[in-house]
PDB file of all heavy atoms in Angstrom:
ATOM      1  N   ALA W 775     145.878  59.165  47.509  1.00  0.00           N
ATOM      2  CA  ALA W 775     146.389  60.299  46.716  1.00  0.00           C
ATOM      3  C   ALA W 775     146.274  61.556  47.575  1.00  0.00           C
ATOM      4  O   ALA W 775     145.255  62.234  47.603  1.00  0.00           O
ATOM      5  CB  ALA W 775     145.586  60.447  45.427  1.00  0.00           C
ATOM      6  N   TYR W 776     147.354  61.856  48.312  1.00  0.00           N
ATOM      7  CA  TYR W 776     147.302  62.936  49.303  1.00  0.00           C
ATOM      8  C   TYR W 776     147.584  64.305  48.693  1.00  0.00           C
ATOM      9  O   TYR W 776     148.461  64.468  47.846  1.00  0.00           O
ATOM     10  CB  TYR W 776     148.322  62.678  50.411  1.00  0.00           C
ATOM     11  CG  TYR W 776     147.947  61.540  51.327  1.00  0.00           C
ATOM     12  CD1 TYR W 776     148.591  60.304  51.240  1.00  0.00           C
ATOM     13  CD2 TYR W 776     146.944  61.688  52.276  1.00  0.00           C
ATOM     14  CE1 TYR W 776     148.249  59.252  52.076  1.00  0.00           C
ATOM     15  CE2 TYR W 776     146.591  60.647  53.122  1.00  0.00           C
ATOM     16  CZ  TYR W 776     147.245  59.426  53.018  1.00  0.00           C
ATOM     17  OH  TYR W 776     146.898  58.395  53.836  1.00  0.00           O
ATOM     18  N   ILE W 777     146.826  65.285  49.182  1.00  0.00           N
ATOM     19  CA  ILE W 777     147.107  66.685  48.887  1.00  0.00           C
ATOM     20  C   ILE W 777     146.967  67.433  50.204  1.00  0.00           C
ATOM     21  O   ILE W 777     145.983  67.259  50.932  1.00  0.00           O
ATOM     22  CB  ILE W 777     146.175  67.246  47.793  1.00  0.00           C
ATOM     23  CG1 ILE W 777     146.566  68.690  47.451  1.00  0.00           C
ATOM     24  CG2 ILE W 777     144.701  67.138  48.172  1.00  0.00           C
ATOM     25  CD1 ILE W 777     145.923  69.206  46.170  1.00  0.00           C
ATOM     26  N   TYR W 778     147.976  68.226  50.540  1.00  0.00           N
ATOM     27  CA  TYR W 778     148.069  68.837  51.868  1.00  0.00           C
ATOM     28  C   TYR W 778     147.541  70.276  51.831  1.00  0.00           C
ATOM     29  O   TYR W 778     147.947  71.081  50.996  1.00  0.00           O
ATOM     30  CB  TYR W 778     149.508  68.789  52.370  1.00  0.00           C
ATOM     31  CG  TYR W 778     150.005  67.362  52.463  1.00  0.00           C
ATOM     32  CD1 TYR W 778     150.749  66.790  51.424  1.00  0.00           C
ATOM     33  CD2 TYR W 778     149.693  66.574  53.560  1.00  0.00           C
ATOM     34  CE1 TYR W 778     151.170  65.470  51.502  1.00  0.00           C
ATOM     35  CE2 TYR W 778     150.119  65.249  53.645  1.00  0.00           C
ATOM     36  CZ  TYR W 778     150.851  64.709  52.608  1.00  0.00           C
ATOM     37  OH  TYR W 778     151.250  63.396  52.678  1.00  0.00           O
ATOM     38  N   ASP W 779     146.660  70.566  52.775  1.00  0.00           N
ATOM     39  CA  ASP W 779     145.919  71.824  52.782  1.00  0.00           C
ATOM     40  C   ASP W 779     146.155  72.565  54.094  1.00  0.00           C
ATOM     41  O   ASP W 779     146.174  71.952  55.166  1.00  0.00           O
ATOM     42  CB  ASP W 779     144.418  71.510  52.613  1.00  0.00           C
ATOM     43  CG  ASP W 779     143.543  72.735  52.714  1.00  0.00           C
ATOM     44  OD1 ASP W 779     143.673  73.614  51.849  1.00  0.00           O
ATOM     45  OD2 ASP W 779     142.723  72.814  53.654  1.00  0.00           O
ATOM     46  N   GLU W 780     146.311  73.869  54.003  1.00  0.00           N
ATOM     47  CA  GLU W 780     146.455  74.673  55.219  1.00  0.00           C
ATOM     48  C   GLU W 780     145.097  74.841  55.892  1.00  0.00           C
ATOM     49  O   GLU W 780     144.171  75.385  55.305  1.00  0.00           O
ATOM     50  CB  GLU W 780     147.040  76.050  54.883  1.00  0.00           C
ATOM     51  CG  GLU W 780     147.216  76.934  56.113  1.00  0.00           C
ATOM     52  CD  GLU W 780     147.655  78.347  55.758  1.00  0.00           C
ATOM     53  OE1 GLU W 780     148.214  78.532  54.662  1.00  0.00           O
ATOM     54  OE2 GLU W 780     147.422  79.257  56.573  1.00  0.00           O
ATOM     55  N   LYS W 781     144.970  74.371  57.126  1.00  0.00           N
ATOM     56  CA  LYS W 781     143.728  74.506  57.861  1.00  0.00           C
ATOM     57  C   LYS W 781     143.682  75.859  58.560  1.00  0.00           C
ATOM     58  O   LYS W 781     144.727  76.443  58.895  1.00  0.00           O
ATOM     59  CB  LYS W 781     143.560  73.389  58.901  1.00  0.00           C
ATOM     60  CG  LYS W 781     143.801  71.978  58.384  1.00  0.00           C
ATOM     61  CD  LYS W 781     143.196  71.719  57.019  1.00  0.00           C
ATOM     62  CE  LYS W 781     141.676  71.766  57.020  1.00  0.00           C
ATOM     63  NZ  LYS W 781     141.124  71.557  55.643  1.00  0.00           N
ATOM     64  N   VAL W 782     142.474  76.362  58.763  1.00  0.00           N
ATOM     65  CA  VAL W 782     142.328  77.653  59.431  1.00  0.00           C
ATOM     66  C   VAL W 782     142.863  77.542  60.854  1.00  0.00           C
ATOM     67  O   VAL W 782     142.629  76.555  61.550  1.00  0.00           O
ATOM     68  CB  VAL W 782     140.863  78.127  59.438  1.00  0.00           C
ATOM     69  CG1 VAL W 782     140.386  78.382  58.028  1.00  0.00           C
ATOM     70  CG2 VAL W 782     139.941  77.124  60.128  1.00  0.00           C
ATOM     71  N   ALA W 783     143.594  78.560  61.274  1.00  0.00           N
ATOM     72  CA  ALA W 783     144.276  78.494  62.571  1.00  0.00           C
ATOM     73  C   ALA W 783     143.603  79.347  63.640  1.00  0.00           C
ATOM     74  O   ALA W 783     143.937  79.243  64.822  1.00  0.00           O
ATOM     75  CB  ALA W 783     145.732  78.930  62.413  1.00  0.00           C
ATOM     76  N   HIS W 784     142.652  80.195  63.235  1.00  0.00           N
ATOM     77  CA  HIS W 784     142.042  81.118  64.187  1.00  0.00           C
ATOM     78  C   HIS W 784     140.520  81.088  64.077  1.00  0.00           C
ATOM     79  O   HIS W 784     139.972  80.861  62.999  1.00  0.00           O
ATOM     80  CB  HIS W 784     142.565  82.535  63.956  1.00  0.00           C
ATOM     81  CG  HIS W 784     144.065  82.629  64.016  1.00  0.00           C
ATOM     82  ND1 HIS W 784     144.772  82.525  65.195  1.00  0.00           N
ATOM     83  CD2 HIS W 784     144.986  82.784  63.034  1.00  0.00           C
ATOM     84  CE1 HIS W 784     146.071  82.626  64.935  1.00  0.00           C
ATOM     85  NE2 HIS W 784     146.226  82.782  63.633  1.00  0.00           N
ATOM     86  N   ARG W 785     139.869  81.358  65.201  1.00  0.00           N
ATOM     87  CA  ARG W 785     138.415  81.246  65.261  1.00  0.00           C
ATOM     88  C   ARG W 785     137.732  82.205  64.296  1.00  0.00           C
ATOM     89  O   ARG W 785     136.729  81.859  63.665  1.00  0.00           O
ATOM     90  CB  ARG W 785     137.928  81.511  66.692  1.00  0.00           C
ATOM     91  CG  ARG W 785     136.466  81.183  66.892  1.00  0.00           C
ATOM     92  CD  ARG W 785     136.036  81.406  68.314  1.00  0.00           C
ATOM     93  NE  ARG W 785     136.046  82.815  68.659  1.00  0.00           N
ATOM     94  CZ  ARG W 785     135.587  83.313  69.815  1.00  0.00           C
ATOM     95  NH1 ARG W 785     135.138  82.490  70.742  1.00  0.00           N
ATOM     96  NH2 ARG W 785     135.622  84.598  70.052  1.00  0.00           N
ATOM     97  N   ALA W 786     138.237  83.427  64.164  1.00  0.00           N
ATOM     98  CA  ALA W 786     137.605  84.410  63.280  1.00  0.00           C
ATOM     99  C   ALA W 786     137.614  83.929  61.830  1.00  0.00           C
ATOM    100  O   ALA W 786     136.628  84.095  61.102  1.00  0.00           O
ATOM    101  CB  ALA W 786     138.319  85.753  63.397  1.00  0.00           C
ATOM    102  N   VAL W 787     138.726  83.325  61.405  1.00  0.00           N
ATOM    103  CA  VAL W 787     138.821  82.808  60.045  1.00  0.00           C
ATOM    104  C   VAL W 787     137.890  81.606  59.878  1.00  0.00           C
ATOM    105  O   VAL W 787     137.241  81.438  58.845  1.00  0.00           O
ATOM    106  CB  VAL W 787     140.270  82.425  59.704  1.00  0.00           C
ATOM    107  CG1 VAL W 787     140.364  81.894  58.280  1.00  0.00           C
ATOM    108  CG2 VAL W 787     141.184  83.632  59.873  1.00  0.00           C
ATOM    109  N   PHE W 788     137.831  80.760  60.905  1.00  0.00           N
ATOM    110  CA  PHE W 788     136.917  79.613  60.908  1.00  0.00           C
ATOM    111  C   PHE W 788     135.478  80.085  60.713  1.00  0.00           C
ATOM    112  O   PHE W 788     134.738  79.532  59.897  1.00  0.00           O
ATOM    113  CB  PHE W 788     137.053  78.858  62.233  1.00  0.00           C
ATOM    114  CG  PHE W 788     136.041  77.755  62.429  1.00  0.00           C
ATOM    115  CD1 PHE W 788     136.317  76.461  62.009  1.00  0.00           C
ATOM    116  CD2 PHE W 788     134.817  78.005  63.044  1.00  0.00           C
ATOM    117  CE1 PHE W 788     135.389  75.436  62.192  1.00  0.00           C
ATOM    118  CE2 PHE W 788     133.888  76.996  63.232  1.00  0.00           C
ATOM    119  CZ  PHE W 788     134.176  75.705  62.806  1.00  0.00           C
ATOM    120  N   GLN W 789     135.086  81.105  61.454  1.00  0.00           N
ATOM    121  CA  GLN W 789     133.719  81.621  61.356  1.00  0.00           C
ATOM    122  C   GLN W 789     133.439  82.180  59.969  1.00  0.00           C
ATOM    123  O   GLN W 789     132.385  81.944  59.379  1.00  0.00           O
ATOM    124  CB  GLN W 789     133.506  82.707  62.410  1.00  0.00           C
ATOM    125  CG  GLN W 789     132.098  83.287  62.425  1.00  0.00           C
ATOM    126  CD  GLN W 789     131.907  84.271  63.572  1.00  0.00           C
ATOM    127  OE1 GLN W 789     132.303  83.994  64.715  1.00  0.00           O
ATOM    128  NE2 GLN W 789     131.332  85.421  63.277  1.00  0.00           N
ATOM    129  N   ASN W 790     134.403  82.909  59.414  1.00  0.00           N
ATOM    130  CA  ASN W 790     134.253  83.479  58.078  1.00  0.00           C
ATOM    131  C   ASN W 790     134.107  82.379  57.027  1.00  0.00           C
ATOM    132  O   ASN W 790     133.240  82.445  56.141  1.00  0.00           O
ATOM    133  CB  ASN W 790     135.476  84.346  57.770  1.00  0.00           C
ATOM    134  CG  ASN W 790     135.360  85.061  56.441  1.00  0.00           C
ATOM    135  OD1 ASN W 790     134.584  85.985  56.284  1.00  0.00           O
ATOM    136  ND2 ASN W 790     136.157  84.629  55.469  1.00  0.00           N
ATOM    137  N   GLN W 791     134.928  81.338  57.151  1.00  0.00           N
ATOM    138  CA  GLN W 791     134.889  80.227  56.198  1.00  0.00           C
ATOM    139  C   GLN W 791     133.568  79.477  56.281  1.00  0.00           C
ATOM    140  O   GLN W 791     132.952  79.154  55.267  1.00  0.00           O
ATOM    141  CB  GLN W 791     136.050  79.276  56.474  1.00  0.00           C
ATOM    142  CG  GLN W 791     136.172  78.131  55.486  1.00  0.00           C
ATOM    143  CD  GLN W 791     137.241  77.144  55.925  1.00  0.00           C
ATOM    144  OE1 GLN W 791     137.099  76.468  56.942  1.00  0.00           O
ATOM    145  NE2 GLN W 791     138.327  77.068  55.151  1.00  0.00           N
ATOM    146  N   ARG W 792     133.107  79.207  57.497  1.00  0.00           N
ATOM    147  CA  ARG W 792     131.842  78.480  57.657  1.00  0.00           C
ATOM    148  C   ARG W 792     130.654  79.312  57.194  1.00  0.00           C
ATOM    149  O   ARG W 792     129.676  78.763  56.698  1.00  0.00           O
ATOM    150  CB  ARG W 792     131.658  78.067  59.125  1.00  0.00           C
ATOM    151  CG  ARG W 792     132.122  76.657  59.454  1.00  0.00           C
ATOM    152  CD  ARG W 792     133.502  76.334  58.946  1.00  0.00           C
ATOM    153  NE  ARG W 792     133.902  74.958  59.272  1.00  0.00           N
ATOM    154  CZ  ARG W 792     135.103  74.483  59.071  1.00  0.00           C
ATOM    155  NH1 ARG W 792     136.043  75.250  58.541  1.00  0.00           N
ATOM    156  NH2 ARG W 792     135.387  73.227  59.364  1.00  0.00           N
ATOM    157  N   THR W 793     130.727  80.617  57.346  1.00  0.00           N
ATOM    158  CA  THR W 793     129.665  81.479  56.823  1.00  0.00           C
ATOM    159  C   THR W 793     129.517  81.280  55.322  1.00  0.00           C
ATOM    160  O   THR W 793     128.413  81.140  54.801  1.00  0.00           O
ATOM    161  CB  THR W 793     129.964  82.963  57.123  1.00  0.00           C
ATOM    162  OG1 THR W 793     130.030  83.161  58.541  1.00  0.00           O
ATOM    163  CG2 THR W 793     128.878  83.867  56.545  1.00  0.00           C
ATOM    164  N   ARG W 794     130.657  81.244  54.631  1.00  0.00           N
ATOM    165  CA  ARG W 794     130.647  81.038  53.187  1.00  0.00           C
ATOM    166  C   ARG W 794     130.091  79.661  52.835  1.00  0.00           C
ATOM    167  O   ARG W 794     129.282  79.517  51.924  1.00  0.00           O
ATOM    168  CB  ARG W 794     132.067  81.187  52.634  1.00  0.00           C
ATOM    169  CG  ARG W 794     132.146  81.121  51.113  1.00  0.00           C
ATOM    170  CD  ARG W 794     133.554  81.291  50.616  1.00  0.00           C
ATOM    171  NE  ARG W 794     134.333  80.065  50.740  1.00  0.00           N
ATOM    172  CZ  ARG W 794     135.476  79.958  51.397  1.00  0.00           C
ATOM    173  NH1 ARG W 794     135.975  81.008  52.026  1.00  0.00           N
ATOM    174  NH2 ARG W 794     136.133  78.817  51.457  1.00  0.00           N
ATOM    175  N   TRP W 795     130.502  78.637  53.571  1.00  0.00           N
ATOM    176  CA  TRP W 795     130.052  77.272  53.282  1.00  0.00           C
ATOM    177  C   TRP W 795     128.559  77.104  53.522  1.00  0.00           C
ATOM    178  O   TRP W 795     127.857  76.464  52.733  1.00  0.00           O
ATOM    179  CB  TRP W 795     130.834  76.278  54.139  1.00  0.00           C
ATOM    180  CG  TRP W 795     132.272  76.131  53.751  1.00  0.00           C
ATOM    181  CD1 TRP W 795     132.920  76.783  52.738  1.00  0.00           C
ATOM    182  CD2 TRP W 795     133.251  75.295  54.370  1.00  0.00           C
ATOM    183  NE1 TRP W 795     134.232  76.405  52.692  1.00  0.00           N
ATOM    184  CE2 TRP W 795     134.477  75.489  53.676  1.00  0.00           C
ATOM    185  CE3 TRP W 795     133.209  74.406  55.440  1.00  0.00           C
ATOM    186  CZ2 TRP W 795     135.642  74.824  54.020  1.00  0.00           C
ATOM    187  CZ3 TRP W 795     134.372  73.731  55.792  1.00  0.00           C
ATOM    188  CH2 TRP W 795     135.568  73.939  55.088  1.00  0.00           C
ATOM    189  N   ILE W 796     128.055  77.664  54.629  1.00  0.00           N
ATOM    190  CA  ILE W 796     126.633  77.533  54.947  1.00  0.00           C
ATOM    191  C   ILE W 796     125.793  78.243  53.897  1.00  0.00           C
ATOM    192  O   ILE W 796     124.765  77.723  53.440  1.00  0.00           O
ATOM    193  CB  ILE W 796     126.332  78.109  56.347  1.00  0.00           C
ATOM    194  CG1 ILE W 796     127.038  77.281  57.422  1.00  0.00           C
ATOM    195  CG2 ILE W 796     124.826  78.120  56.613  1.00  0.00           C
ATOM    196  CD1 ILE W 796     127.042  77.937  58.785  1.00  0.00           C
ATOM    197  N   ALA W 797     126.230  79.433  53.494  1.00  0.00           N
ATOM    198  CA  ALA W 797     125.497  80.173  52.464  1.00  0.00           C
ATOM    199  C   ALA W 797     125.480  79.399  51.153  1.00  0.00           C
ATOM    200  O   ALA W 797     124.451  79.328  50.471  1.00  0.00           O
ATOM    201  CB  ALA W 797     126.137  81.552  52.266  1.00  0.00           C
ATOM    202  N   ALA W 798     126.606  78.799  50.804  1.00  0.00           N
ATOM    203  CA  ALA W 798     126.678  78.016  49.571  1.00  0.00           C
ATOM    204  C   ALA W 798     125.754  76.806  49.643  1.00  0.00           C
ATOM    205  O   ALA W 798     125.073  76.473  48.664  1.00  0.00           O
ATOM    206  CB  ALA W 798     128.121  77.574  49.321  1.00  0.00           C
ATOM    207  N   GLN W 799     125.712  76.159  50.810  1.00  0.00           N
ATOM    208  CA  GLN W 799     124.835  74.993  50.963  1.00  0.00           C
ATOM    209  C   GLN W 799     123.371  75.402  50.839  1.00  0.00           C
ATOM    210  O   GLN W 799     122.568  74.706  50.211  1.00  0.00           O
ATOM    211  CB  GLN W 799     125.077  74.320  52.314  1.00  0.00           C
ATOM    212  CG  GLN W 799     124.264  73.036  52.505  1.00  0.00           C
ATOM    213  CD  GLN W 799     124.673  72.268  53.751  1.00  0.00           C
ATOM    214  OE1 GLN W 799     125.600  72.649  54.457  1.00  0.00           O
ATOM    215  NE2 GLN W 799     123.978  71.182  54.030  1.00  0.00           N
ATOM    216  N   TRP W 800     123.006  76.541  51.423  1.00  0.00           N
ATOM    217  CA  TRP W 800     121.634  77.031  51.333  1.00  0.00           C
ATOM    218  C   TRP W 800     121.258  77.338  49.880  1.00  0.00           C
ATOM    219  O   TRP W 800     120.185  76.985  49.401  1.00  0.00           O
ATOM    220  CB  TRP W 800     121.458  78.260  52.202  1.00  0.00           C
ATOM    221  CG  TRP W 800     120.096  78.880  52.102  1.00  0.00           C
ATOM    222  CD1 TRP W 800     119.748  80.010  51.402  1.00  0.00           C
ATOM    223  CD2 TRP W 800     118.878  78.381  52.667  1.00  0.00           C
ATOM    224  NE1 TRP W 800     118.406  80.261  51.523  1.00  0.00           N
ATOM    225  CE2 TRP W 800     117.838  79.277  52.290  1.00  0.00           C
ATOM    226  CE3 TRP W 800     118.571  77.286  53.467  1.00  0.00           C
ATOM    227  CZ2 TRP W 800     116.519  79.091  52.681  1.00  0.00           C
ATOM    228  CZ3 TRP W 800     117.248  77.102  53.853  1.00  0.00           C
ATOM    229  CH2 TRP W 800     116.252  77.989  53.463  1.00  0.00           C
ATOM    230  N   GLN W 801     122.163  78.015  49.166  1.00  0.00           N
ATOM    231  CA  GLN W 801     121.900  78.330  47.764  1.00  0.00           C
ATOM    232  C   GLN W 801     121.798  77.058  46.932  1.00  0.00           C
ATOM    233  O   GLN W 801     120.959  76.959  46.034  1.00  0.00           O
ATOM    234  CB  GLN W 801     123.014  79.235  47.218  1.00  0.00           C
ATOM    235  CG  GLN W 801     122.980  80.648  47.774  1.00  0.00           C
ATOM    236  CD  GLN W 801     124.155  81.476  47.283  1.00  0.00           C
ATOM    237  OE1 GLN W 801     125.304  81.029  47.283  1.00  0.00           O
ATOM    238  NE2 GLN W 801     123.884  82.693  46.863  1.00  0.00           N
ATOM    239  N   PHE W 802     122.643  76.091  47.244  1.00  0.00           N
ATOM    240  CA  PHE W 802     122.609  74.823  46.519  1.00  0.00           C
ATOM    241  C   PHE W 802     121.265  74.128  46.708  1.00  0.00           C
ATOM    242  O   PHE W 802     120.661  73.637  45.752  1.00  0.00           O
ATOM    243  CB  PHE W 802     123.746  73.915  47.000  1.00  0.00           C
ATOM    244  CG  PHE W 802     123.760  72.577  46.335  1.00  0.00           C
ATOM    245  CD1 PHE W 802     124.379  72.402  45.113  1.00  0.00           C
ATOM    246  CD2 PHE W 802     123.138  71.479  46.926  1.00  0.00           C
ATOM    247  CE1 PHE W 802     124.384  71.160  44.487  1.00  0.00           C
ATOM    248  CE2 PHE W 802     123.132  70.246  46.315  1.00  0.00           C
ATOM    249  CZ  PHE W 802     123.758  70.090  45.090  1.00  0.00           C
ATOM    250  N   ILE W 803     120.786  74.059  47.946  1.00  0.00           N
ATOM    251  CA  ILE W 803     119.497  73.425  48.223  1.00  0.00           C
ATOM    252  C   ILE W 803     118.383  74.134  47.461  1.00  0.00           C
ATOM    253  O   ILE W 803     117.490  73.495  46.885  1.00  0.00           O
ATOM    254  CB  ILE W 803     119.207  73.444  49.739  1.00  0.00           C
ATOM    255  CG1 ILE W 803     120.190  72.515  50.474  1.00  0.00           C
ATOM    256  CG2 ILE W 803     117.771  73.017  50.029  1.00  0.00           C
ATOM    257  CD1 ILE W 803     120.121  72.621  51.983  1.00  0.00           C
ATOM    258  N   LYS W 804     118.441  75.450  47.437  1.00  0.00           N
ATOM    259  CA  LYS W 804     117.423  76.246  46.752  1.00  0.00           C
ATOM    260  C   LYS W 804     117.325  75.896  45.270  1.00  0.00           C
ATOM    261  O   LYS W 804     116.230  75.782  44.714  1.00  0.00           O
ATOM    262  CB  LYS W 804     117.746  77.735  46.923  1.00  0.00           C
ATOM    263  CG  LYS W 804     116.794  78.681  46.194  1.00  0.00           C
ATOM    264  CD  LYS W 804     117.230  80.122  46.403  1.00  0.00           C
ATOM    265  CE  LYS W 804     116.361  81.084  45.604  1.00  0.00           C
ATOM    266  NZ  LYS W 804     116.805  82.491  45.764  1.00  0.00           N
ATOM    267  N   PHE W 805     118.470  75.699  44.639  1.00  0.00           N
ATOM    268  CA  PHE W 805     118.470  75.464  43.190  1.00  0.00           C
ATOM    269  C   PHE W 805     118.353  73.996  42.801  1.00  0.00           C
ATOM    270  O   PHE W 805     117.879  73.678  41.714  1.00  0.00           O
ATOM    271  CB  PHE W 805     119.748  76.048  42.570  1.00  0.00           C
ATOM    272  CG  PHE W 805     119.735  77.541  42.444  1.00  0.00           C
ATOM    273  CD1 PHE W 805     120.479  78.325  43.302  1.00  0.00           C
ATOM    274  CD2 PHE W 805     118.970  78.173  41.467  1.00  0.00           C
ATOM    275  CE1 PHE W 805     120.473  79.710  43.191  1.00  0.00           C
ATOM    276  CE2 PHE W 805     118.956  79.550  41.350  1.00  0.00           C
ATOM    277  CZ  PHE W 805     119.708  80.327  42.214  1.00  0.00           C
ATOM    278  N   TYR W 806     118.783  73.061  43.670  1.00  0.00           N
ATOM    279  CA  TYR W 806     118.909  71.671  43.240  1.00  0.00           C
ATOM    280  C   TYR W 806     118.055  70.660  44.004  1.00  0.00           C
ATOM    281  O   TYR W 806     117.960  69.509  43.576  1.00  0.00           O
ATOM    282  CB  TYR W 806     120.387  71.232  43.337  1.00  0.00           C
ATOM    283  CG  TYR W 806     121.268  71.865  42.293  1.00  0.00           C
ATOM    284  CD1 TYR W 806     122.006  73.011  42.580  1.00  0.00           C
ATOM    285  CD2 TYR W 806     121.363  71.327  41.009  1.00  0.00           C
ATOM    286  CE1 TYR W 806     122.817  73.598  41.619  1.00  0.00           C
ATOM    287  CE2 TYR W 806     122.176  71.905  40.046  1.00  0.00           C
ATOM    288  CZ  TYR W 806     122.896  73.041  40.359  1.00  0.00           C
ATOM    289  OH  TYR W 806     123.697  73.621  39.411  1.00  0.00           O
ATOM    290  N   PHE W 807     117.450  71.055  45.124  1.00  0.00           N
ATOM    291  CA  PHE W 807     116.725  70.071  45.934  1.00  0.00           C
ATOM    292  C   PHE W 807     115.632  69.371  45.138  1.00  0.00           C
ATOM    293  O   PHE W 807     115.539  68.140  45.122  1.00  0.00           O
ATOM    294  CB  PHE W 807     116.123  70.737  47.174  1.00  0.00           C
ATOM    295  CG  PHE W 807     115.316  69.792  48.023  1.00  0.00           C
ATOM    296  CD1 PHE W 807     115.942  68.885  48.866  1.00  0.00           C
ATOM    297  CD2 PHE W 807     113.930  69.790  47.962  1.00  0.00           C
ATOM    298  CE1 PHE W 807     115.207  68.004  49.645  1.00  0.00           C
ATOM    299  CE2 PHE W 807     113.184  68.914  48.730  1.00  0.00           C
ATOM    300  CZ  PHE W 807     113.827  68.020  49.574  1.00  0.00           C
ATOM    301  N   TRP W 808     114.781  70.128  44.462  1.00  0.00           N
ATOM    302  CA  TRP W 808     113.667  69.510  43.737  1.00  0.00           C
ATOM    303  C   TRP W 808     114.154  68.723  42.522  1.00  0.00           C
ATOM    304  O   TRP W 808     113.500  67.763  42.099  1.00  0.00           O
ATOM    305  CB  TRP W 808     112.636  70.569  43.334  1.00  0.00           C
ATOM    306  CG  TRP W 808     111.931  71.131  44.527  1.00  0.00           C
ATOM    307  CD1 TRP W 808     112.031  72.388  45.047  1.00  0.00           C
ATOM    308  CD2 TRP W 808     111.039  70.407  45.400  1.00  0.00           C
ATOM    309  NE1 TRP W 808     111.263  72.506  46.174  1.00  0.00           N
ATOM    310  CE2 TRP W 808     110.639  71.325  46.421  1.00  0.00           C
ATOM    311  CE3 TRP W 808     110.548  69.109  45.436  1.00  0.00           C
ATOM    312  CZ2 TRP W 808     109.769  70.956  47.440  1.00  0.00           C
ATOM    313  CZ3 TRP W 808     109.684  68.740  46.453  1.00  0.00           C
ATOM    314  CH2 TRP W 808     109.298  69.645  47.433  1.00  0.00           C
ATOM    315  N   LYS W 809     115.297  69.124  41.996  1.00  0.00           N
ATOM    316  CA  LYS W 809     115.886  68.320  40.919  1.00  0.00           C
ATOM    317  C   LYS W 809     116.292  66.956  41.453  1.00  0.00           C
ATOM    318  O   LYS W 809     116.134  65.930  40.781  1.00  0.00           O
ATOM    319  CB  LYS W 809     117.096  69.051  40.318  1.00  0.00           C
ATOM    320  CG  LYS W 809     117.693  68.333  39.115  1.00  0.00           C
ATOM    321  CD  LYS W 809     118.801  69.161  38.471  1.00  0.00           C
ATOM    322  CE  LYS W 809     118.237  70.381  37.769  1.00  0.00           C
ATOM    323  NZ  LYS W 809     119.279  71.084  36.967  1.00  0.00           N
TER     324      LYS W 809
END
């Protein structure tokens, strides 16, 4: 079941996106790890 997504084309956008993902992962661990 394919869905086509626009991938980031530039390093600056890549860095911005990964910053958001890493922060979300850190917050997730903080709230859910012990659960």
Side-chain angles (χ1 to χ4, degrees):
Y776 289 105
I777 184 166
Y778 300 96
D779 176 64
E780 180 186 338
K781 311 318 294 178
V782 295
H784 304 288
R785 190 178 68 173
V787 180
F788 173 90
Q789 182 175 314
N790 184 71
Q791 184 187 67
R792 265 49 181 188
T793 299
R794 186 179 79 236
W795 290 0
I796 295 168
Q799 184 171 357
W800 176 257
Q801 289 176 314
F802 178 85
I803 292 171
K804 177 181 176 182
F805 284 105
Y806 289 96
F807 178 77
W808 292 111
K809 185 174 289 189

